[in-house]
Amino acid sequence: MMNLSSAPGPIGVFDSGYGGLTVLHGIRQAMPQYDYLYLGDNARAPYGNRSFDVIYNFTRQAVIKLFEMGCHLIIIGCNTASAKALRTIQQQDLPRIDLQRRVLGVIRPTAEIIGTLTHNNHVGLLATEGTVASHSYDLEIQKFWPDIKVTGVACPFWVPLIEYGEANSPGADYFVKRRIDKLMQQDPLIDTIILGCTHYPLLMPKISKYIHSSVRLVPQGDYVATSLVDYLKRHQKMDQMCTKRGTCLYYTTENPEKFKDSAQIFLKEEVPVNHIDLE
C-alpha cells in the first residue's frame, strides 16, 4: 500500500489534454459546492493513437499523482484512457494502492443511458482511433442494451482542429462532413450519435449541419455529471471524503501559459494553471 493521506480532499479529473474540461464543466455545473483538481497531461497528448500499454502507464502515473495530491475519487475525463486503462487500474492497481479509493470513467455513464435516447437501437459513435479500436463502447452498451447496434468511426483530425481554435472555421467543415458521411454510409438507420471524445462538443454546430434534424447528438458532460451525483448519493462514505469549498485548481504537464490559452477555448474564461511532472 502507498503512504497516502486519509484526510478528505478534492475530486480529481484527469485528461490527456483539454477535452476533459468539458466533463469538468458539466460536473461543476451540477455540483458547484465540491472542490476539484484538474490534471491535463498535455505534454504527452494526444493519447488517441498510442498503444494500450503506453496509455495505461501514462494514466496510472496521473492517477497516482492525484491520489498523492489528496484525491480519493478520480474521474478519467478521457475516452481513450477510459477505454484502454480504466479497467486495469480498477482491477489491478487500486487493490495495491488503496481499496477505499475510486477511479471512474466516462464511457459507462453514456452506455447506461443510451438505450433511453435511441428510438430504433441504431447508434453511431464518433471518437478517436484508440477508442473505436478498443470496442469499449460496444462492449459496455451490450451489458445494458443487448439489442443496440453500435457503429463507430474514428475522427483523427478533429482534436487538432479544436485545439488549434479551428472548430468554427470553414476548413473544419470538410473534415466533419467526411466523417459524418462515412458513419451514415455504414448504417443509414442511425438515429443517435455518441460524441465519444470529450473535445467533440465544440464541433456540435458543425456536426449538426451534416446530420438529419431527427438524429440526436449525445455529448458526455451532462451524463457523466448526473451519474456522479447519483454515485455520491449512493456512496456516502466517499462523499464525506470529498471536500466542499467550491474551489478548482488546474495542473498541466505542459507550459502553463499554453494551457491557459487553449483552456479558454473550452471554458470561455481564463484560469490559473500550475505546471506538474508525472515522470
Side-chain angles (χ1 to χ4, degrees):
M1 295 287 181
M2 295 176 63
N3 185 21
L4 300 171
S5 170
S6 59
I11 295 172
V13 178
F14 166 69
D15 185 31
S16 57
Y18 303 101
L21 293 169
T22 62
V23 171
L24 175 65
H25 177 73
I27 293 172
R28 290 189 73 196
Q29 292 287 107
M31 301 163 49
Q33 72 274 31
Y34 288 78
D35 295 326
Y36 299 94
L37 202 163
Y38 183 88
L39 171 54
D41 189 14
N42 307 84
R44 301 188 293 195
Y47 281 14
N49 56 358
R50 292 183 183 269
S51 70
F52 272 78
D53 287 345
V54 168
I55 291 167
Y56 162 66
N57 286 323
F58 286 177
T59 305
R60 183 179 180 276
Q61 288 173 356
V63 164
I64 289 171
K65 180 65 72 173
L66 286 168
F67 283 158
E68 291 173 347
M69 295 170 80
C71 299
H72 291 260
L73 174 63
I74 297 171
I75 311 301
I76 297 182
C78 171
N79 281 273
T80 304
S82 292
K84 292 189 172 185
L86 178 62
R87 189 174 297 278
T88 307
I89 287 171
Q90 288 174 333
Q91 294 178 350
Q92 294 184 20
D93 294 302
L94 284 182
R96 291 198 298 262
I97 297 170
D98 185 344
L99 283 167
Q100 304 307 311
R101 295 181 192 244
R102 291 291 179 268
V103 183
L104 308 175
V106 291
I107 294 175
R108 188 183 179 99
T110 313
E112 286 178 340
I113 201 77
I114 196 67
T116 66
L117 304 177
T118 175
H119 296 295
N120 67 3
N121 290 338
H122 288 260
V123 171
L125 170 68
L126 298 169
T128 65
E129 292 170 276
T131 299
V132 172
S134 74
H135 296 289
S136 294
Y137 270 95
D138 318 40
L139 297 169
E140 202 66 33
I141 288 171
Q142 284 297 307
K143 294 176 189 174
F144 301 101
W145 313 98
D147 295 332
I148 286 181
K149 176 189 177 187
V150 180
T151 303
V153 165
C155 309
F157 297 109
W158 287 17
V159 168
L161 273 174
I162 294 162
E163 291 194 351
Y164 283 105
E166 298 293 324
N168 297 314
S169 70
D173 285 74
Y174 169 80
F175 294 101
V176 171
K177 183 178 186 301
R178 194 172 175 195
R179 293 297 157 174
I180 296 292
D181 289 349
K182 183 175 181 181
L183 180 68
M184 299 310 291
Q185 282 165 11
Q186 289 187 24
D187 183 1
L189 296 178
I190 287 170
D191 76 340
T192 306
I193 298 175
I194 298 169
L195 302 183
C197 172
T198 48
H199 282 69
Y200 295 177
L202 275 71
L203 283 171
M204 279 180 69
K206 295 280 190 200
I207 297 169
S208 297
K209 282 170 61 176
Y210 300 109
I211 59 173
H212 192 273
S213 59
S214 63
V215 177
R216 181 170 190 159
L217 291 178
V218 182
Q220 297 168 298
D222 291 346
Y223 300 108
V224 173
T226 302
S227 179
L228 184 57
V229 169
D230 178 63
Y231 179 87
L232 289 172
K233 277 182 185 169
R234 291 185 289 108
H235 297 83
Q236 286 295 311
K237 258 190 179 173
M238 179 56 76
D239 187 62
Q240 289 163 15
M241 296 308 295
C242 300
T243 51
K244 303 172 182 70
R245 294 185 295 267
T247 66
C248 188
L249 301 175
Y250 298 85
Y251 292 85
T252 177
T253 56
E254 244 286 7
N255 179 292
E257 291 305 314
K258 185 176 185 302
F259 182 94
K260 262 188 204 176
D261 292 343
S262 295
Q264 278 192 288
I265 298 171
F266 293 84
L267 297 175
K268 311 301 181 192
E269 63 174 330
E270 190 170 308
V271 294
V273 189
N274 294 300
H275 175 80
I276 197 167
D277 287 313
L278 294 182
E279 294 182 277

